[in-house]
Amino acid sequence: MEYFNLFTNIILIMSLGWYLITNLQWYNYKLDRVVFKHHKWQWHITYFLAPIVIFYLIEGLYFAIYFYLIYMSSFIIWNRKLDKPLVITARVKRFLGILLGTTFIIVVLCLASDQCNKTPIFIPLIIAYVVSTILEKIFFLSFKNQGKKRLKSIPNIKTIAITASYGKTSIKNFLYHVLKKKYKVYKTPRSVNTIGGIVLDVNRDLPDDTQIYIAEAGARLKGDIEEISMYLEPEICILGSVGEQHIEYFKTLDNIIHTKMEILKSPKMKRGFVHESVPIKDYDTITKFPDGLTILKSDLNGLTFEVNIKGHPYKFHAPILGSFNAINLTTVILAAEELGMSIEDIQIAFENLPQVEHRLQRIDAGGKII
C-alpha cells in the first residue's frame, strides 16, 4: 500500500506540473501573469489548489479514490478540450524531466526516512520551476547573442520594426508586398512579435541574402518593445494607431502609448513614422501620418485615396476593404518611398495588393460575397 501511495503522489505532482507548464506556456512563461492575469482563474482552484488541499486533509486510500476517479478524469477531459493544448517543446521536456527527477529523488529520500509520511508537493514544483527558469535564461541569452551575430553577418541588411495597437500585421504584409517588387525582403511569419519569437526567427529562418527584414513588435509589459528595438536596431520604425487594446495589462492609455513609443529608441533609427494618435514632439527624424489623406472611394471593389507626399498629391488604389486601411497604406507609401521606391512603382504594386487573411478579407464563394 505504501508503494501505491507513493506512485499516486508522483502522478499527482506530475499532473500539477503539467497544469503549471501549460499555463506558463500560454502566458509567455511569466508566473506573475499566470497568477494575477489569468483569463479563467477558477481553473487554478479546480486543477491546482484543490488536489493539494485534499492531499493533506485525506489519508491514503480515500485520497486515491478522489484522485483517480474525480480529479484525473476531469483533468484529462479539461486538457483534451483546450483550444491551445500544451505544445511539447524542448523547454517543456526539460521542465517535466527536472520535475520527474526531483520527485524521484524526494521519494527515495522519503523511503529512507521514517519521518516522511507524505511526499512534499511544493518542493519538487518549486525546484523544477526555479532550475528550469535559470537554464532557459542561460540558453536564451546564448541564442540571443547568436542571432545578433547572424544579423550583423548579413551584409547591408536594413531592418524595419512595426508596432501598434491595431494594424501592425496588416502594415507588415502590405509593406512586404510592395518592397519585394524591388528588394529581397523577409518578414516575420504570422503574428510573431515577441523577443523570443523574433530571436528564433532570426536564427532559424532569416535568409542570408535578405536586404530588408520586416518585424512586428508586440508587448504585454513595459520594456518589451524596447528589448526588441535594441535587439533589431531598426533603421525604419513604424508606430501605428494606438488605442486601448490590451489595457488589462497596461491599466492606462498613457502606459500603452509610452510602451509603444519604445520602438523609437533604436540606436540606428534613421526615420520614424508615427501615427497622429501618439502625442509626440516634432523631431527631424519623425514623420507624422496620415498627413493630407483623402479617401475618395471605399467599397467591395477596394479602396481609392489620395495622399500628399512632400507637398504633392498622389492617387492610389488597392483591392483592400475598409477605409481605415488607407491609414495603414499611407504608412507603407512613406516607408517604401523612404527606402528608395518611386511613387509610380508603389502605385503599381498596390494594384494587386493581396488581402490580409482574417482581417476584413473578402471571400467569393458560390456567387456570394463573404
Side-chain angles (χ1 to χ4, degrees), residues 153-187:
S153 70
I154 300 176
N156 303 318
I157 187 173
K158 293 182 179 178
T159 305
I160 303 171
I162 304 167
T163 192
S165 295
Y166 320 99
K168 55 182 177 291
T169 300
S170 296
I171 294 172
K172 178 187 70 175
N173 285 285
F174 295 153
L175 188 57
Y176 169 79
H177 175 80
V178 172
L179 292 177
K180 74 176 183 178
K181 302 297 182 182
K182 184 175 181 178
Y183 303 105
K184 178 68 176 179
V185 187
Y186 177 78
K187 60 181 174 70

mmCIF file of all heavy atoms in Angstrom, residues 153-187:
data_model
loop_
_atom_site.group_PDB
_atom_site.id
_atom_site.type_symbol
_atom_site.label_atom_id
_atom_site.label_comp_id
_atom_site.label_asym_id
_atom_site.label_seq_id
_atom_site.Cartn_x
_atom_site.Cartn_y
_atom_site.Cartn_z
ATOM 1 N N SER A 153 26.075 39.635 -39.572
ATOM 2 C CA SER A 153 26.827 38.942 -40.619
ATOM 3 C C SER A 153 26.192 39.085 -41.997
ATOM 4 O O SER A 153 26.835 38.796 -43.011
ATOM 5 C CB SER A 153 26.946 37.447 -40.279
ATOM 6 O OG SER A 153 25.685 36.799 -40.407
ATOM 7 N N ILE A 154 24.922 39.518 -42.053
ATOM 8 C CA ILE A 154 24.249 39.695 -43.338
ATOM 9 C C ILE A 154 24.591 41.083 -43.877
ATOM 10 O O ILE A 154 24.220 42.093 -43.265
ATOM 11 C CB ILE A 154 22.728 39.528 -43.192
ATOM 12 C CG1 ILE A 154 22.392 38.131 -42.665
ATOM 13 C CG2 ILE A 154 22.030 39.770 -44.531
ATOM 14 C CD1 ILE A 154 20.926 37.896 -42.394
ATOM 15 N N PRO A 155 25.286 41.174 -44.994
ATOM 16 C CA PRO A 155 25.776 42.470 -45.481
ATOM 17 C C PRO A 155 24.646 43.397 -45.922
ATOM 18 O O PRO A 155 23.726 42.986 -46.628
ATOM 19 C CB PRO A 155 26.669 42.082 -46.672
ATOM 20 C CG PRO A 155 26.170 40.743 -47.114
ATOM 21 C CD PRO A 155 25.686 40.065 -45.878
ATOM 22 N N ASN A 156 24.717 44.640 -45.442
ATOM 23 C CA ASN A 156 23.818 45.719 -45.885
ATOM 24 C C ASN A 156 22.327 45.471 -45.598
ATOM 25 O O ASN A 156 21.466 46.059 -46.243
ATOM 26 C CB ASN A 156 24.001 45.990 -47.388
ATOM 27 C CG ASN A 156 25.434 46.335 -47.736
ATOM 28 O OD1 ASN A 156 26.097 47.094 -47.026
ATOM 29 N ND2 ASN A 156 25.939 45.768 -48.826
ATOM 30 N N ILE A 157 22.028 44.604 -44.659
ATOM 31 C CA ILE A 157 20.624 44.362 -44.323
ATOM 32 C C ILE A 157 20.035 45.591 -43.628
ATOM 33 O O ILE A 157 20.697 46.239 -42.815
ATOM 34 C CB ILE A 157 20.466 43.105 -43.435
ATOM 35 C CG1 ILE A 157 18.978 42.778 -43.243
ATOM 36 C CG2 ILE A 157 21.151 43.301 -42.082
ATOM 37 C CD1 ILE A 157 18.729 41.468 -42.526
ATOM 38 N N LYS A 158 18.799 45.917 -43.995
ATOM 39 C CA LYS A 158 18.074 47.004 -43.347
ATOM 40 C C LYS A 158 16.868 46.404 -42.626
ATOM 41 O O LYS A 158 16.197 45.518 -43.158
ATOM 42 C CB LYS A 158 17.625 48.046 -44.366
ATOM 43 C CG LYS A 158 18.780 48.808 -44.997
ATOM 44 C CD LYS A 158 18.274 49.860 -45.970
ATOM 45 C CE LYS A 158 19.447 50.634 -46.567
ATOM 46 N NZ LYS A 158 18.999 51.642 -47.554
ATOM 47 N N THR A 159 16.600 46.913 -41.438
ATOM 48 C CA THR A 159 15.528 46.351 -40.627
ATOM 49 C C THR A 159 14.425 47.377 -40.401
ATOM 50 O O THR A 159 14.696 48.554 -40.142
ATOM 51 C CB THR A 159 16.077 45.881 -39.265
ATOM 52 O OG1 THR A 159 17.142 44.972 -39.484
ATOM 53 C CG2 THR A 159 15.003 45.189 -38.467
ATOM 54 N N ILE A 160 13.185 46.904 -40.518
ATOM 55 C CA ILE A 160 12.009 47.726 -40.249
ATOM 56 C C ILE A 160 11.245 47.086 -39.089
ATOM 57 O O ILE A 160 10.942 45.892 -39.133
ATOM 58 C CB ILE A 160 11.079 47.809 -41.474
ATOM 59 C CG1 ILE A 160 11.834 48.366 -42.683
ATOM 60 C CG2 ILE A 160 9.852 48.659 -41.169
ATOM 61 C CD1 ILE A 160 11.041 48.271 -43.984
ATOM 62 N N ALA A 161 10.960 47.853 -38.062
ATOM 63 C CA ALA A 161 10.185 47.353 -36.922
ATOM 64 C C ALA A 161 8.857 48.093 -36.866
ATOM 65 O O ALA A 161 8.812 49.316 -37.033
ATOM 66 C CB ALA A 161 10.958 47.533 -35.624
ATOM 67 N N ILE A 162 7.792 47.333 -36.644
ATOM 68 C CA ILE A 162 6.433 47.893 -36.657
ATOM 69 C C ILE A 162 5.728 47.548 -35.353
ATOM 70 O O ILE A 162 5.717 46.392 -34.931
ATOM 71 C CB ILE A 162 5.602 47.317 -37.827
ATOM 72 C CG1 ILE A 162 6.318 47.561 -39.162
ATOM 73 C CG2 ILE A 162 4.204 47.914 -37.851
ATOM 74 C CD1 ILE A 162 5.731 46.762 -40.312
ATOM 75 N N THR A 163 5.133 48.558 -34.735
ATOM 76 C CA THR A 163 4.291 48.305 -33.574
ATOM 77 C C THR A 163 3.056 49.176 -33.661
ATOM 78 O O THR A 163 3.047 50.208 -34.348
ATOM 79 C CB THR A 163 5.033 48.549 -32.251
ATOM 80 O OG1 THR A 163 4.257 48.011 -31.181
ATOM 81 C CG2 THR A 163 5.263 50.035 -32.003
ATOM 82 N N ALA A 164 1.998 48.758 -32.991
ATOM 83 C CA ALA A 164 0.732 49.494 -32.981
ATOM 84 C C ALA A 164 -0.240 48.730 -32.100
ATOM 85 O O ALA A 164 -0.025 47.561 -31.789
ATOM 86 C CB ALA A 164 0.165 49.630 -34.392
ATOM 87 N N SER A 165 -1.301 49.406 -31.694
ATOM 88 C CA SER A 165 -2.379 48.697 -31.015
ATOM 89 C C SER A 165 -3.229 47.956 -32.031
ATOM 90 O O SER A 165 -3.746 46.875 -31.767
ATOM 91 C CB SER A 165 -3.251 49.688 -30.238
ATOM 92 O OG SER A 165 -2.520 50.298 -29.194
ATOM 93 N N TYR A 166 -3.370 48.552 -33.201
ATOM 94 C CA TYR A 166 -4.169 47.958 -34.270
ATOM 95 C C TYR A 166 -3.424 48.096 -35.597
ATOM 96 O O TYR A 166 -2.859 49.145 -35.890
ATOM 97 C CB TYR A 166 -5.524 48.669 -34.411
ATOM 98 C CG TYR A 166 -6.176 49.049 -33.115
ATOM 99 C CD1 TYR A 166 -6.075 50.346 -32.613
ATOM 100 C CD2 TYR A 166 -6.881 48.119 -32.378
ATOM 101 C CE1 TYR A 166 -6.672 50.700 -31.419
ATOM 102 C CE2 TYR A 166 -7.484 48.461 -31.180
ATOM 103 C CZ TYR A 166 -7.376 49.759 -30.704
ATOM 104 O OH TYR A 166 -7.965 50.103 -29.515
ATOM 105 N N GLY A 167 -3.418 47.034 -36.394
ATOM 106 C CA GLY A 167 -2.957 47.135 -37.775
ATOM 107 C C GLY A 167 -1.524 46.783 -38.069
ATOM 108 O O GLY A 167 -1.102 46.846 -39.223
ATOM 109 N N LYS A 168 -0.744 46.382 -37.049
ATOM 110 C CA LYS A 168 0.680 46.154 -37.334
ATOM 111 C C LYS A 168 0.909 44.962 -38.264
ATOM 112 O O LYS A 168 1.813 44.996 -39.104
ATOM 113 C CB LYS A 168 1.488 45.994 -36.051
ATOM 114 C CG LYS A 168 1.039 44.945 -35.062
ATOM 115 C CD LYS A 168 1.935 44.974 -33.826
ATOM 116 C CE LYS A 168 1.458 43.986 -32.773
ATOM 117 N NZ LYS A 168 0.174 44.406 -32.173
ATOM 118 N N THR A 169 0.083 43.918 -38.144
ATOM 119 C CA THR A 169 0.237 42.771 -39.044
ATOM 120 C C THR A 169 -0.150 43.150 -40.467
ATOM 121 O O THR A 169 0.511 42.736 -41.437
ATOM 122 C CB THR A 169 -0.616 41.583 -38.561
ATOM 123 O OG1 THR A 169 -0.204 41.209 -37.249
ATOM 124 C CG2 THR A 169 -0.454 40.380 -39.481
ATOM 125 N N SER A 170 -1.191 43.955 -40.623
ATOM 126 C CA SER A 170 -1.587 44.418 -41.954
ATOM 127 C C SER A 170 -0.498 45.278 -42.577
ATOM 128 O O SER A 170 -0.147 45.100 -43.752
ATOM 129 C CB SER A 170 -2.897 45.207 -41.870
ATOM 130 O OG SER A 170 -3.960 44.383 -41.439
ATOM 131 N N ILE A 171 0.043 46.217 -41.808
ATOM 132 C CA ILE A 171 1.119 47.068 -42.319
ATOM 133 C C ILE A 171 2.302 46.219 -42.753
ATOM 134 O O ILE A 171 2.892 46.438 -43.820
ATOM 135 C CB ILE A 171 1.556 48.095 -41.250
ATOM 136 C CG1 ILE A 171 0.430 49.093 -40.969
ATOM 137 C CG2 ILE A 171 2.814 48.837 -41.691
ATOM 138 C CD1 ILE A 171 0.694 50.011 -39.797
ATOM 139 N N LYS A 172 2.650 45.233 -41.938
ATOM 140 C CA LYS A 172 3.779 44.356 -42.269
ATOM 141 C C LYS A 172 3.554 43.647 -43.597
ATOM 142 O O LYS A 172 4.445 43.625 -44.464
ATOM 143 C CB LYS A 172 3.984 43.333 -41.158
ATOM 144 C CG LYS A 172 5.108 42.334 -41.432
ATOM 145 C CD LYS A 172 5.167 41.239 -40.379
ATOM 146 C CE LYS A 172 3.979 40.304 -40.477
ATOM 147 N NZ LYS A 172 4.082 39.162 -39.536
ATOM 148 N N ASN A 173 2.375 43.070 -43.779
ATOM 149 C CA ASN A 173 2.097 42.327 -45.006
ATOM 150 C C ASN A 173 1.996 43.231 -46.226
ATOM 151 O O ASN A 173 2.492 42.880 -47.308
ATOM 152 C CB ASN A 173 0.803 41.515 -44.830
ATOM 153 C CG ASN A 173 1.000 40.295 -43.954
ATOM 154 O OD1 ASN A 173 1.576 39.298 -44.357
ATOM 155 N ND2 ASN A 173 0.530 40.373 -42.722
ATOM 156 N N PHE A 174 1.366 44.385 -46.082
ATOM 157 C CA PHE A 174 1.291 45.336 -47.193
ATOM 158 C C PHE A 174 2.689 45.811 -47.598
ATOM 159 O O PHE A 174 3.026 45.861 -48.784
ATOM 160 C CB PHE A 174 0.434 46.544 -46.804
ATOM 161 C CG PHE A 174 -1.014 46.242 -46.545
ATOM 162 C CD1 PHE A 174 -1.767 47.043 -45.690
ATOM 163 C CD2 PHE A 174 -1.638 45.157 -47.146
ATOM 164 C CE1 PHE A 174 -3.109 46.771 -45.454
ATOM 165 C CE2 PHE A 174 -2.983 44.872 -46.912
ATOM 166 C CZ PHE A 174 -3.715 45.681 -46.062
ATOM 167 N N LEU A 175 3.490 46.158 -46.611
ATOM 168 C CA LEU A 175 4.832 46.672 -46.890
ATOM 169 C C LEU A 175 5.710 45.602 -47.542
ATOM 170 O O LEU A 175 6.494 45.888 -48.454
ATOM 171 C CB LEU A 175 5.468 47.161 -45.586
ATOM 172 C CG LEU A 175 6.801 47.901 -45.693
ATOM 173 C CD1 LEU A 175 6.685 49.117 -46.611
ATOM 174 C CD2 LEU A 175 7.281 48.345 -44.307
ATOM 175 N N TYR A 176 5.567 44.382 -47.085
ATOM 176 C CA TYR A 176 6.316 43.269 -47.679
ATOM 177 C C TYR A 176 5.988 43.122 -49.160
ATOM 178 O O TYR A 176 6.884 42.969 -50.002
ATOM 179 C CB TYR A 176 5.991 41.984 -46.928
ATOM 180 C CG TYR A 176 6.489 40.719 -47.603
ATOM 181 C CD1 TYR A 176 7.828 40.338 -47.499
ATOM 182 C CD2 TYR A 176 5.621 39.923 -48.357
ATOM 183 C CE1 TYR A 176 8.290 39.181 -48.120
ATOM 184 C CE2 TYR A 176 6.074 38.768 -48.974
ATOM 185 C CZ TYR A 176 7.402 38.402 -48.854
ATOM 186 O OH TYR A 176 7.855 37.259 -49.475
ATOM 187 N N HIS A 177 4.703 43.174 -49.487
ATOM 188 C CA HIS A 177 4.280 43.008 -50.876
ATOM 189 C C HIS A 177 4.853 44.119 -51.761
ATOM 190 O O HIS A 177 5.274 43.860 -52.900
ATOM 191 C CB HIS A 177 2.755 43.006 -50.961
ATOM 192 C CG HIS A 177 2.240 42.952 -52.365
ATOM 193 N ND1 HIS A 177 2.174 41.783 -53.093
ATOM 194 C CD2 HIS A 177 1.768 43.945 -53.185
ATOM 195 C CE1 HIS A 177 1.697 42.034 -54.297
ATOM 196 N NE2 HIS A 177 1.428 43.344 -54.376
ATOM 197 N N VAL A 178 4.868 45.344 -51.263
ATOM 198 C CA VAL A 178 5.366 46.468 -52.062
ATOM 199 C C VAL A 178 6.879 46.399 -52.234
ATOM 200 O O VAL A 178 7.406 46.511 -53.346
ATOM 201 C CB VAL A 178 4.952 47.807 -51.406
ATOM 202 C CG1 VAL A 178 5.628 48.983 -52.105
ATOM 203 C CG2 VAL A 178 3.437 47.966 -51.436
ATOM 204 N N LEU A 179 7.588 46.190 -51.147
ATOM 205 C CA LEU A 179 9.052 46.225 -51.197
ATOM 206 C C LEU A 179 9.656 45.065 -51.978
ATOM 207 O O LEU A 179 10.743 45.193 -52.561
ATOM 208 C CB LEU A 179 9.622 46.248 -49.779
ATOM 209 C CG LEU A 179 9.372 47.518 -48.961
ATOM 210 C CD1 LEU A 179 9.924 47.349 -47.553
ATOM 211 C CD2 LEU A 179 9.994 48.734 -49.630
ATOM 212 N N LYS A 180 8.970 43.926 -52.014
ATOM 213 C CA LYS A 180 9.542 42.767 -52.704
ATOM 214 C C LYS A 180 9.588 42.953 -54.218
ATOM 215 O O LYS A 180 10.237 42.169 -54.925
ATOM 216 C CB LYS A 180 8.776 41.498 -52.346
ATOM 217 C CG LYS A 180 7.408 41.359 -52.991
ATOM 218 C CD LYS A 180 6.781 40.022 -52.630
ATOM 219 C CE LYS A 180 5.437 39.831 -53.341
ATOM 220 N NZ LYS A 180 4.832 38.520 -53.034
ATOM 221 N N LYS A 181 8.908 43.998 -54.714
ATOM 222 C CA LYS A 181 8.993 44.309 -56.137
ATOM 223 C C LYS A 181 10.386 44.799 -56.523
ATOM 224 O O LYS A 181 10.776 44.724 -57.692
ATOM 225 C CB LYS A 181 7.964 45.388 -56.501
ATOM 226 C CG LYS A 181 6.518 45.036 -56.178
ATOM 227 C CD LYS A 181 6.034 43.840 -56.961
ATOM 228 C CE LYS A 181 4.574 43.536 -56.652
ATOM 229 N NZ LYS A 181 4.068 42.344 -57.371
ATOM 230 N N LYS A 182 11.145 45.267 -55.529
ATOM 231 C CA LYS A 182 12.472 45.822 -55.819
ATOM 232 C C LYS A 182 13.584 45.168 -55.013
ATOM 233 O O LYS A 182 14.732 45.106 -55.469
ATOM 234 C CB LYS A 182 12.456 47.338 -55.548
ATOM 235 C CG LYS A 182 13.754 48.041 -55.909
ATOM 236 C CD LYS A 182 13.625 49.551 -55.737
ATOM 237 C CE LYS A 182 14.927 50.256 -56.128
ATOM 238 N NZ LYS A 182 14.803 51.728 -56.025
ATOM 239 N N TYR A 183 13.249 44.650 -53.825
ATOM 240 C CA TYR A 183 14.285 44.152 -52.921
ATOM 241 C C TYR A 183 14.018 42.689 -52.540
ATOM 242 O O TYR A 183 12.914 42.177 -52.722
ATOM 243 C CB TYR A 183 14.340 44.996 -51.644
ATOM 244 C CG TYR A 183 14.574 46.464 -51.878
ATOM 245 C CD1 TYR A 183 13.525 47.382 -51.755
ATOM 246 C CD2 TYR A 183 15.841 46.942 -52.214
ATOM 247 C CE1 TYR A 183 13.730 48.737 -51.955
ATOM 248 C CE2 TYR A 183 16.048 48.299 -52.423
ATOM 249 C CZ TYR A 183 14.993 49.190 -52.299
ATOM 250 O OH TYR A 183 15.196 50.519 -52.513
ATOM 251 N N LYS A 184 15.057 42.066 -51.988
ATOM 252 C CA LYS A 184 14.903 40.753 -51.376
ATOM 253 C C LYS A 184 14.430 40.982 -49.943
ATOM 254 O O LYS A 184 15.197 41.414 -49.068
ATOM 255 C CB LYS A 184 16.237 40.007 -51.389
ATOM 256 C CG LYS A 184 16.197 38.633 -50.737
ATOM 257 C CD LYS A 184 15.376 37.637 -51.519
ATOM 258 C CE LYS A 184 15.443 36.251 -50.873
ATOM 259 N NZ LYS A 184 14.627 35.272 -51.623
ATOM 260 N N VAL A 185 13.143 40.701 -49.687
ATOM 261 C CA VAL A 185 12.518 41.067 -48.410
ATOM 262 C C VAL A 185 12.092 39.806 -47.666
ATOM 263 O O VAL A 185 11.641 38.830 -48.265
ATOM 264 C CB VAL A 185 11.281 41.965 -48.637
ATOM 265 C CG1 VAL A 185 10.742 42.486 -47.308
ATOM 266 C CG2 VAL A 185 11.627 43.126 -49.558
ATOM 267 N N TYR A 186 12.244 39.853 -46.354
ATOM 268 C CA TYR A 186 11.763 38.774 -45.489
ATOM 269 C C TYR A 186 10.999 39.406 -44.330
ATOM 270 O O TYR A 186 11.407 40.449 -43.792
ATOM 271 C CB TYR A 186 12.920 37.935 -44.946
ATOM 272 C CG TYR A 186 12.473 36.853 -43.995
ATOM 273 C CD1 TYR A 186 11.918 35.670 -44.461
ATOM 274 C CD2 TYR A 186 12.575 37.031 -42.609
ATOM 275 C CE1 TYR A 186 11.479 34.678 -43.597
ATOM 276 C CE2 TYR A 186 12.139 36.046 -41.734
ATOM 277 C CZ TYR A 186 11.590 34.876 -42.232
ATOM 278 O OH TYR A 186 11.142 33.908 -41.374
ATOM 279 N N LYS A 187 9.868 38.776 -43.945
ATOM 280 C CA LYS A 187 9.068 39.283 -42.820
ATOM 281 C C LYS A 187 8.854 38.179 -41.793
ATOM 282 O O LYS A 187 8.880 36.990 -42.136
ATOM 283 C CB LYS A 187 7.717 39.805 -43.303
ATOM 284 C CG LYS A 187 6.841 38.767 -43.995
ATOM 285 C CD LYS A 187 5.530 39.390 -44.460
ATOM 286 C CE LYS A 187 4.704 38.418 -45.290
ATOM 287 N NZ LYS A 187 4.146 37.311 -44.518
#
